[in-house]
Every structure is written in C-alpha cells, then in structure tokens.
Amino acid sequence: MKRKLLAALVTLPFVLLVACAKKEAPPAAAAFEMAPVSAAGPCELNLFIWSEYIDPEIVAAFEKEFSCKVTIDLYEDNESMMAKLQGGGTALYDVVVPGQYLIPVMVKLNLLAELRHANLPNLANLDEKFVNPVYDPGNRYSVGYQWGTVGIYLRRKPGKAVDETWGLLFDKTKQYGSYLLMDSMREMMGSVAKYQGKSLNTTVPDDVRAQIAVLGDSKARSQGFEGGVGGKNKVLGKAVDAAVVYNGDAVRGMADDPETYYFVPREGGVLWLDNLVVPAKAPHRDSAEKFINYILDAKVGAQLSNFNQYATPNKAAKAFVTPEDLANPAIYPSAEMMEKLEFINDLGDGNRLYDEAWTQVKSK
Amino acid sequence: MRRVSLPLWIASGFLYLFLYAPIVVVIVYSFNASRYGGPWRGFTTEWYPAILANADKLDAAKNTLILGVASTLIATVLGTMLGFGLSRFRFRGKKFFSFLMYIPVVIPDIVMAVAMLMFFRLVRDRFGLFQLGMTTMILSHVTFQIPFVAIVVRSRLVGMDAGIEEAAHDLGATSWQTFRHITLPMILPAVVAGGMLAFTLSLDDFVVSFFTTGPGSTTLPILIYSSVKRGITPDINALSTLIVLVSIVATLAGLLFQRPRDSRQHPGGKL
Amino acid sequence: MAGEANPRLARTEVRFGERLTAQAELLRSSLTSGPGILWVSLFLLLPLAGIGVISFLTRGTYGEIELPFTIGNYRRIAGFGLLGFDAQYPQIILRSLLLGAGTTVVCLAASFPLAFFIAGQPERRKQLALTLLIIPFWTNLLIRTYAWQILLGPDSFLARVASTLGLAEAGRPLYPSVFAVYLGMLCAYLPFLALPLYTAVEKLDWSIAEAASDLGADKLRVFRHAILPQLVPGMIAGIILVFIPATGQFVVPDLLGGAKTVMLGNAIQQQFGPSRDWPFGSAIAFVGMAVVLVGLYLQSRSAAAREGEGLL
C-alpha cells in the first residue's frame, strides 16, 4: 500500500507538469486580451533590468512626470531572466531587457506581449538599422535599448603601436603579454570565429573544432577566464596586460587611465543589442508602454547613453549625446567596422554544438 | 584540562585573523574614491551617506534581515524537532527519511531553485497561492535550512548520556517536562549552532532567492550578485561594512545585557 | 530490533526511561519528525521528482522541455557527444569530489584548534568567540572572495612575503592557483565544520581522558582513544555539511582558480544558463547527487557493519 502511495506521489508532479506545460502561456493574441488594462488607479511599473543599466534620474523623472511608482528588480544574465519569466515572471514584470538573440525564442515560447505601436509615437526616433530588425520583423515585440561591441582592452606599451588583431590573444607569436579571456560562451567562441574568418553563427562541426583548437591553445597561455568587468579591473590594476571586455566597461576604464586602450580587432567581432520588451502577462501594460515611449524620447535616450556610455539605437537622441562619445570609436564604431560586426543568433538545435565545444575548452 | 594552552591561542588567533582579513579589505575599500570599483584611487567617506540615503539598498538590507530571521526561526524549530525525532524514536521508513533529509544538502542550488520555481508555478496556476515574493522566499529558505539544523542537533544527541533523562522519567516527569527542562538545555549549544548556520545560509543565498522572489522583495545577495557584473563598487563594500559593524555591536550588546549565568554546573558536563 | 517491525498495542519499549507503546512511539515520531519531513517532502522532494522526470525528456529547438522520453542526456554524460566520444563529465564529477574532499581536510585541520579553543573559554567569552567566528560569514561570499583576490594580488603583503620566501615569483599575484582556491574554500566553509565539532567538544567527558592519562597513556594516545571517539558524531556532521556543498561549489574555484576548469557546479549552471538545456542540466545534477548519496549510503552500511557511527 505504501509503495503504491509513493509511486503515485512521484508520478503526480510529472502529470501536473505535463498537463500544465501544455497550457504554458496563451498565444500572443490571447495575451492581448488577457493582460489587464489599468485604466484608472495608481500607476505602477515593475522593471526587470541589468544592474546599473538605467540612470536613476531617468527613473525618478519618469515617476514624477507620470505619477508612477517604479520598482526595479535586477538580474545578472539573460538566461536567469528567461528562467524567471518561464516560471511565472511573465505575470510579475512589466518591462524586461533581453538580448536580441533571445527575442525569437521568447516569442516562440509565448513569453512576450505585442507592443501596441499606437502608444509608442516615439518609435519614429529609432535609427533605420534598428527598425524592422531581422530578429523581430516590424518591431512587434521589441524596441532597441542599447548596443555595443566586444573587443580587446589593453595597457599600451610606451612607444609601441598596437597591432589591432585577435592574434594578440590567439596567436602564440603575437602574444601581447599576460591576458584574460572572457568567460562567456558565444562571445568568446564568436571572437575566435571572426579571427578565423568564419561567421560566429556557424554550425559546421569542423569550424567549431577549429575554434576549440585555437581557444584551447590560447587558454593554456592565458591567466584564465573572467567576466567583462573583472577583466577591465585587472587591466586597470595592472594584474594583466590585456583582457576581452564589453566596450562600455572599457570606455570607463579608458577615462580612468588614459594609458589603457580598447579596440575591436580588424577581423571583426561580436555586436550585441539589448531591447525593451513587455512580458505576456504584464500586470501594468499601459505603464510599460508609457515607459518604453519615454525611453525612446530623444533627450531621455541621450541621457541614458551619456549615463552608461553605450551606443544608442535612437537617431533623434544622437543630437543630444555628448560629442566626445559620438566621436569615440569604442562606442560608435566606424561604418567600415560595422560591416565586420555580427550579431549572435540563437542556433536552436545547433546550440548543443557550442555547449559541448565550450565545455571541452574549459575542462581541458 | 580545560585550560587553553598558548599554542592553541596562537593557532586560533591566526585562524581568526585569516577569517577577518577579507573583512578588513572590504572595510578599507569602502573608502575607495573610485566610482566603479577597481584599484585604489584615494580616500573618501562619500559612500556611507550615499548608502544610507539609497532607499533601494536599504530595502534590500531590510528584506534580507526579515527573510533571514523569519526563516531561521522556523527552520530552527522544525529542524530541532526533526533532529530529536530522528535520533530518539524508531518508526517505519526512518532510514529512508533520514536519507531523504540529506537531499537539500546534496542538491545543487540552481536545481533546487528551478524545482521550487516550477512547484510554486504549478500551485499558483491551480490554487492561486504562492505569488512570488517574500513568502515564497521564506518557504524556500526554510526548506534548505531544516536539514542543516537537524544534522547538527542530531549529532549532539547521538551517544549522549541518557541517564539524566531516565532519572527525570523515574521521578515522574512527563515527556514534555523532560524535554523542556532537561533535554533542551543539554542540546542548546547544538540548536544555537544550527540556527547560526541556518542564518548564515540564508544571508548568503542568491540563486534560490533570485528565482523565488517577486518585485520589491529583492535581497542584498541578489543586489550584489547582479552588480558584480559591473564590479564590486565601493558602496557595496560600505554596505557590507555597515552590516559587519551592526552584527558586532549587536553581539556585544547581547552579551553585556545577558543575565550572569548561575555558578552551578550546567548539564551536559560532568556530574 | 523487536519492537520496530509491527506496531502492536501489547508491545512496549523503554525509551530513555519512558515506557512507550508502539503507538505512543509513532505519535511522538510524527509530532517531532513529522513537520520537518513533511515540509521538505512537499516543497523539495516532490518538485525534485519532477526534475528527475525532466532529465529523461528532450530539449526542444527553442529550449522548451518536450517529449519524447530519452536516455540521451545520460548517454551524453557517459561521454557520447556530437563532437565524438569524450569522457569529460566523469572527469568533471571526479574533479569536484576531489575539491570537496580537499576542502573537508583543510577545514578539519582548522576546525580542531578552533573548537577546542572556544570550548576552553569561560562562559561569557565562549559566546563571544563563537559569534566572532561566524560574523565574517554574514558578509557575502562573493565579496569576501573578491577581497581575497586583492589580498593575493601582485603587490599585496602576502605576495611580497611569498616572493621573499622564494615561494613565488616577484610581482606576480598568488592567484589563480590551487593554494588560492583552497584558501577561498576554507574561508567559505569553515563554520560548517567548526560549529558542529564545537558542539561535540563542548560536551566532552574529560574524566575519560583524565582516567586514561592516570593509567599511563601519553598525550597522543589519550587524544586518539579517549577524546577523538567522543567527537566522531560532531565530526561526521561537520564533514557532511562541508564535503557535500563544497563538491558543488564553483564560484570560488572560478574566482581564485581563473575559471580554467569545469566543476560540477559550472556544468550544471551552464545548462540552466547560456545553453538552456534543462533536461541535460537535470541529468547532470542527478548523476552528481546520486554519486554523493551512494557514497553516503555505502559509508553508513560499512559503519553499521562495524557497529560504528554512520553518516545516517
């Protein structure tokens, strides 16, 4: 008797899971009707965002202008955020900031609500490059927030010109001294792919094997892997000579210490783009769209970029961005460099190839 | 035999020093005049008033404390009962349940977090309970704290001389009286130790908290882990320093105001 | 034992001076152990069973969890990957077990002096010493570990001492290194051994040690035969509370070891993170847990056979 009870107890969660999994989230159209429209009542907004990614003054100004109370929750990587949304966070948060590669996935998993363009007049401010993007045709679900690059940040050696190539890390003969690699699967492997002249979204196993070989060799000569900011801090602190970092961190580092220098190597690199989206069951959908529209305002967009020194996708905002930032190739790469930058895409079943490759590189 | 020898003082002193060395670094770097963390750039005290004025960080600290105290209290009670029950009584399936109690210790944080997230979601979809927030966080924390307390309490009970308890029963005390006046004082160090461990676990938990929290219930570890991608900024160090200071002051105050113990032997030692 | 098999009214046992019918014993068991067991079963074990089921499911193209059932995840752990056969997961598990064991040894070495030291203090100071021991652990582990990076940095006091002593190159930081990792792990897990050990030392019956010494045993033998056996339950509790979590730790090895290897924790995190393959991550977690639990079980069986203290 006890055994049957135990068996029932063990199978129960599975049964519930499968039964409920089918009802994961209603398709976008139904979410349209189901999301509560907060017509009257105090305005509230639950923002789920990376830390230090928005100027607190922008939030304060928004709260004042719309008499809205904004609660901010933080996350530290895209996938934790997704897991949270999948676990019920779609009904908790109003605005989230995922990377562009996750948007097609989130749409397929019914995690997002459509943006009602009627509420977003400032959408017209977006630069053409970010309107109707490949990963979200018609901007149905997302609006560009900030974008940037991944490159090499190093301490200049007095009197010597820097050879701007990934070979500084990947080529034994060109090694720049002690260095750190970035502890991020797609960004790091993608950089190797660009160095080898391939697309960073390749799913050809031999291409990936070649990446493993180069990266494995580079790892052996390196000081290890580090997250972006750690790398920049160690270059600043003279613990290493070079590191792979995100451009925003590098820009701050360069302001702190003019002997340091950031560049995207001539072979090209990763282009990243974060977006504002509204989860499928957002409790305050109207406030969410008000907020997104507010961010799209020219002056606010500029204030944002001036605060975190990443690049803005907002053409109208560029008029108000500090001129030094606009002229800084670390923030706004030249047109020629832009050609060589590539977005990371989610590879569906191809992700497994990179997962295995990365595990191999890291564990050998 | 209970005198503490000089080598022991030296060894322990060294160990305490070693444990506090990082704390000293934290305190020192809370005065670092570098906005984004990183190397030392000069001395400043500006971060302290900034922290005290920062509502978000204070809220996180408050949430962390509420969560820690609430979950520790519940877990200590349940864990002590569990440790006592497992070591004293026999029942069917005891071996099996003992074994099961190790699972929260063995399970990786993220798997536990995901499991609880899905569980809460299932229940929420069916019964509307368990909105993510402080309640779900407390429930989750208690879940991984209970076994820690139980294991420590149980270890103290095992092999403990039952003579006093037997004597109490012989003299007519009920089980509850025996437990309350004899057993409990004897295992109190273990209960306290278990509680301290549980509190530590809760204070430092990030993964489970992140997945079970809701808007407005952010805790300090979540704040810190999320900020680490941007670097450990001096204001985080300032906040940690304040916490250490408050803990030390609270401890000293607690000790000063404690009633002096009776000089009679406290049970558990020699008779 | 006789009274355990079948609860019948007529049978009674004497439990610590109390006569209990089997029914009464069951009642007491339920009241004491019941709530704890129920809580953990409901909130964790049940959902965990769900995760176990997930480990046999498949990852969809977009990271969903879907049918069909498969043992592919477990095959992958055994080494059958897309890029050929590679037994990396068994190596990862072994590496983590080693880290756990090493950490336990280091913590034991440090816990003994501390436990005896604190237990030897007068009453008031005992509380103070205990609390002072644990206060550093109320500072976030990440922050403390980053502080160790500074303490072991290229120009730090410790680095300079090490280079003067010839133990390290001048001007180089003392991390990433195995030494740094164990330093960090000790800093993370010490109280989980020290506190249980302390509770055992605190209730030490010194009269046995005195008797042994009176009978002519030297200090070492007194320690080994009169004191150590009394500490075994506390030691074992502490060992469990350190070994198991340390096996799953990956943040400290990453920060102080340069993130150059993959630990069990890294592997699992990667699947629930960037690779978004929950079925595979669940499988890795279950294999890791199974290894540890089997170890615990075997130890308790062998201890029972020796009529010694088991971990269960």
Side-chain angles (χ1 to χ4, degrees), chain A residues 187-254:
Chain A
E187 279 86 346
M188 202 61 238
M189 301 204 72
S191 304
V192 179
K194 296 311 272 185
Y195 172 66
Q196 295 176 321
K198 304 270 194 259
S199 159
L200 48 77
N201 291 311
T202 175
T203 47
V204 176
D206 279 336
D207 285 350
V208 177
R209 285 202 180 88
Q211 291 172 24
I212 296 176
V214 167
L215 202 49
D217 164 69
S218 181
K219 166 189 159 181
R221 294 177 286 116
S222 76
Q223 293 297 104
F225 291 85
E226 183 80 50
V229 175
K232 158 236 178 201
N233 281 337
K234 299 218 164 77
V235 171
L236 272 181
K238 301 193 181 152
V240 291
D241 298 315
V244 179
V245 304
Y246 289 99
N247 64 324
D249 299 322
V251 165
R252 287 182 187 162
M254 288 198 286

Side-chain angles (χ1 to χ4, degrees), chain A residues 3-62:
Chain A
R3 227 163 293 180
K4 283 203 193 135
L5 192 62
L6 207 61
L9 273 173
V10 169
T11 49
L12 187 63
F14 158 61
V15 168
L16 286 175
L17 201 66
V18 170
C20 293
K22 291 274 161 63
K23 302 193 307 179
E24 251 279 332
F32 196 105
E33 282 110 50
M34 275 175 66
V37 178
S38 42
C43 165
E44 278 180 55
L45 183 79
N46 295 331
L47 179 60
F48 202 24
I49 191 171
W50 301 75
S51 87
E52 293 207 33
Y53 210 15
I54 190 165
D55 188 353
E57 286 176 30
I58 295 182
V59 175
F62 174 80

Side-chain angles (χ1 to χ4, degrees), chain C residues 255-307:
Chain C
L255 285 178
L256 293 173
K260 279 183 162 191
T261 53
V262 178
M263 292 289 168
L264 188 58
N266 294 102
I268 297 173
Q269 195 80 6
Q270 192 174 314
Q271 300 311 321
F272 282 97
S275 300
R276 286 185 306 113
D277 190 345
W278 291 21
F280 187 49
S282 309
I284 302 175
F286 265 77
V287 171
M289 289 197 289
V291 169
V292 175
L293 286 173
V294 164
L296 279 181
Y297 180 69
L298 289 175
Q299 201 281 351
S300 81
R301 282 281 292 270
S302 88
R306 285 185 285 116
E307 288 203 338

Side-chain angles (χ1 to χ4, degrees), chain C:
Chain C
M1 288 234 93
E4 176 177 17
N6 239 315
R8 273 194 207 133
L9 280 177
R11 299 208 184 217
T12 59
E13 285 271 328
V14 176
R15 285 260 168 275
F16 297 92
E18 252 195 302
R19 258 174 80 99
L20 290 176
T21 62
Q23 216 179 34
E25 185 165 11
L26 191 62
L27 182 69
R28 276 167 179 63
S29 312
S30 324
L31 281 178
T32 53
S33 312
I37 292 179
L38 262 163
W39 186 295
V40 175
S41 302
L42 179 66
F43 287 108
L44 184 61
L45 298 180
L46 228 55
L48 193 61
I51 297 262
V53 168
I54 287 178
S55 73
F56 287 101
L57 291 171
T58 321
R59 179 194 193 269
T61 315
Y62 296 99
E64 324 92 294
I65 302 165
E66 49 185 34
L67 299 166
F69 281 105
T70 170
I71 56 163
N73 295 316
Y74 289 95
R75 287 190 75 232
R76 211 171 139 192
I77 295 175
F80 297 97
L82 284 177
L83 293 167
F85 183 84
D86 188 354
Q88 41 185 322
Y89 285 98
Q91 286 172 1
I92 291 173
I93 293 179
L94 205 65
R95 201 180 293 139
S96 306
L97 287 173
L98 243 82
L99 179 68
T103 306
T104 310
V105 167
V106 172
C107 283
L108 268 172
S111 296
F112 267 93
L114 276 176
F116 278 94
F117 173 77
I118 298 177
Q121 300 297 317
E123 199 56 46
R124 281 275 194 97
R125 278 220 291 249
K126 237 189 255 196
Q127 283 284 56
L128 182 67
L130 257 179
T131 322
L132 280 183
L133 179 67
I134 206 159
I135 281 180
F137 295 89
W138 292 342
T139 304
N140 194 281
L141 179 62
L142 208 60
I143 294 183
R144 275 181 290 141
T145 313
Y146 270 106
W148 271 112
Q149 285 192 342
I150 295 179
L151 282 168
L152 297 171
D155 268 328
S156 66
F157 173 71
L158 286 170
R160 274 184 255 170
V161 165
S163 69
T164 343
L165 291 175
L167 293 168
E169 279 176 58
R172 310 284 294 120
L174 291 178
Y175 77 98
S177 67
V178 173
F179 165 72
V181 171
Y182 279 103
L183 214 61
M185 293 295 273
L186 177 63
C187 215
Y189 289 104
L190 186 55
F192 293 91
L193 231 178
L195 284 178
L197 190 62
Y198 160 75
T199 65
V201 172
E202 207 255 354
K203 81 170 207 273
L204 257 186
D205 188 353
W206 287 97
S207 59
I208 302 182
E210 280 169 23
S213 157
D214 285 348
L215 288 169
D218 63 69
K219 281 212 163 151
L220 198 63
R221 297 201 79 188
V222 167
F223 186 79
R224 223 190 118 207
H225 295 283
I227 295 183
L228 204 55
Q230 293 184 59
L231 299 178
V232 165
M235 262 175 69
I236 290 194
I239 289 175
I240 296 176
L241 295 181
V242 169
F243 177 72
I244 298 178
T247 311
Q249 176 63 256
F250 61 97
V251 170
V252 174
D254 270 0
L255 285 178
L256 293 173
K260 279 183 162 191
T261 53
V262 178
M263 292 289 168
L264 188 58
N266 294 102
I268 297 173
Q269 195 80 6
Q270 192 174 314
Q271 300 311 321
F272 282 97
S275 300
R276 286 185 306 113
D277 190 345
W278 291 21
F280 187 49
S282 309
I284 302 175
F286 265 77
V287 171
M289 289 197 289
V291 169
V292 175
L293 286 173
V294 164
L296 279 181
Y297 180 69
L298 289 175
Q299 201 281 351
S300 81
R301 282 281 292 270
S302 88
R306 285 185 285 116
E307 288 203 338
E309 241 336 289
L311 289 168
L312 284 187

Side-chain angles (χ1 to χ4, degrees), chain A residues 16 24 51 73 84 86 229, chain B residues 121-122 210 213 218 226 229:
Chain A
L16 286 175
E24 251 279 332
S51 87
D73 269 18
K84 195 76 195 283
Q86 286 177 293
V229 175
Chain B
R121 188 195 163 151
L122 243 91
F210 174 85
T213 190
T218 298
S226 312
K229 289 263 155 142

